[in-house]
Amino acid sequence: MNYRQLGKSALQISEIGFGCMSLKGNEEESKNIIHKAIELGVNFFDTADLYDKGDNEEKIGKALIGKRDKVILATKVGNQWKADGSDWEWNPRKEYILKSIDNSLRRLKTDYIDLYQLHGGTIEDPIDETIEAFELLKKQGKIRFYGISSIRPNVIRAYVKRSNIVSVMMQYSLLDRRPEDGCLSLLQQNNIGVLARGSVAQGLLVDKPAKEYLSFSIEEVKKAASTIQLISGNNRNSAQTAIRFVLHHPAVTSAVIGIRTMEQMIEAVQTIHTPSLSNPEFRLLQQSVKAIAYEQHK
């Protein structure tokens, strides 16, 4: 496994990160997948208090008993379930964040979180209050570093300017190059690591039937997938080529892959043993679909 420093932090995280949201098996199955990932060198695991109403954190916490010192553990906060459990609502208030951390620590069976992330955000939020909460948690030793999970350029710029975030998690793939519209360069200039999710674009770049995606037509999605397949050859399969595209950008620290099965995990980890994209291959992929820009929240 290869490891990269996450922005200005002291965290050295694996180039392939484990997105825990997709884990839907029983506890034993999930534990086996997680333990095998650790054995193969994956050290970055990302979850959120929102996932399965906290059960995902519970599952991860149990799986990491005796192995906590081997991993960089990340979770998220900001989405509050309604009292009746029917839906959630956005809550970036300081009071809520300070209360939520204790619940996440309990479920994850740890006394600190390596990376605590705001799970969304709008420009109308009380941003300074949110930052105060994260800074206080750092002083208390409950978190080591903090970041945000957002695709909104205006929110990202606000946190870059006003906070000490070390990372931004955002969707990035061949079919979603919106982060190239100013965000990736801004984060790179400010030494803030990018955690890229959605590398295979819901499977559309791999094996899922083509459908309209963002502003792309079915034909454009087919062309992107066929170009991925064209340059994969014997050295990489389509999923690994899609991940390689994401890792090619110097702003990206880790491709965080949503993993459901042992086979998916092993395939993702084996990406590290495949050739990096050559510059001609990278340009061919870029030219296969038009670049799109963010239309909202700019």
Side-chain angles (χ1 to χ4, degrees), residues 92 118 121-134 154-155 158-159 162-163:
L118 185 67
T122 74
I123 202 65
E124 292 79 25
D125 289 346
I127 292 176
D128 290 330
E129 179 183 328
T130 303
I131 293 169
E132 284 178 12
F134 284 118
N154 57 359
V155 172
Y159 276 90
R162 294 152 67 175
S163 78

Side-chain angles (χ1 to χ4, degrees), residues 103 116 130 191 254 258 297:
N103 292 326
Y116 204 34
T130 303
N191 195 20
S254 180
H297 313 293

Side-chain angles (χ1 to χ4, degrees), residues 125-283:
D125 289 346
I127 292 176
D128 290 330
E129 179 183 328
T130 303
I131 293 169
E132 284 178 12
F134 284 118
E135 290 290 346
L136 178 57
L137 292 176
K138 279 183 65 178
K139 289 179 181 178
Q140 293 175 342
K142 293 182 178 180
I143 68 173
R144 295 177 66 191
F145 302 97
Y146 66 94
I148 63 173
S149 177
S150 177
I151 64 170
R152 297 182 172 187
N154 57 359
V155 172
I156 292 170
R157 285 195 303 271
Y159 276 90
V160 169
K161 183 177 181 179
R162 294 152 67 175
S163 78
N164 294 309
I165 59 169
V166 301
S167 64
V168 174
M169 178 173 282
M170 60 199 320
Q171 183 168 293
Y172 180 47
S173 73
L174 179 60
L175 280 173
D176 189 356
R177 291 168 53 202
R178 292 176 298 175
E180 295 174 6
D181 182 27
C183 287
L184 293 182
S185 58
L186 173 69
L187 295 171
Q188 186 178 7
Q189 290 163 10
N190 285 274
N191 195 20
I192 295 169
V194 173
L195 302 169
R197 59 177 178 81
S199 304
V200 297
Q202 300 177 359
L204 295 174
L205 292 172
V206 184
D207 54 8
K208 294 288 178 65
K211 65 177 183 178
E212 293 181 353
Y213 184 78
L214 298 176
S215 61
F216 293 113
S217 67
I218 292 176
E219 288 306 313
E220 288 171 320
V221 169
K222 285 181 178 178
K223 183 178 179 183
S226 64
T227 307
I228 287 272
Q229 186 176 22
L230 175 66
I231 70 168
S232 293
N234 297 321
N235 294 321
R236 292 182 301 260
N237 64 26
S238 293
Q240 291 163 344
T241 297
I243 295 170
R244 276 294 182 193
F245 175 84
V246 167
L247 290 172
H248 191 86
H249 198 289
V252 174
T253 305
S254 180
V256 181
I257 311 300
I259 292 170
R260 186 183 300 267
T261 66
M262 183 73 77
E263 291 73 22
Q264 287 176 340
M265 184 275 294
I266 291 173
E267 177 185 62
V269 171
Q270 287 177 340
T271 302
I272 300 305
H273 304 294
T274 66
S276 299
L277 295 182
S278 66
N279 287 330
E281 286 176 326
F282 185 71
R283 285 194 296 270

Side-chain angles (χ1 to χ4, degrees), residues 27 30 34 47-49 51-65 75 103-109:
E27 288 182 4
S30 298
I34 289 170
T47 180
D49 60 2
Y51 303 156
D52 300 326
K53 299 181 179 179
D55 286 350
N56 194 264
E57 286 185 330
E58 289 267 10
K59 185 182 292 185
I60 305 309
K62 290 177 181 177
L64 292 178
I65 292 174
T75 191
N103 292 326
S104 285
L105 290 172
R106 173 181 53 80
R107 289 189 292 260
L108 288 164
K109 303 186 186 313

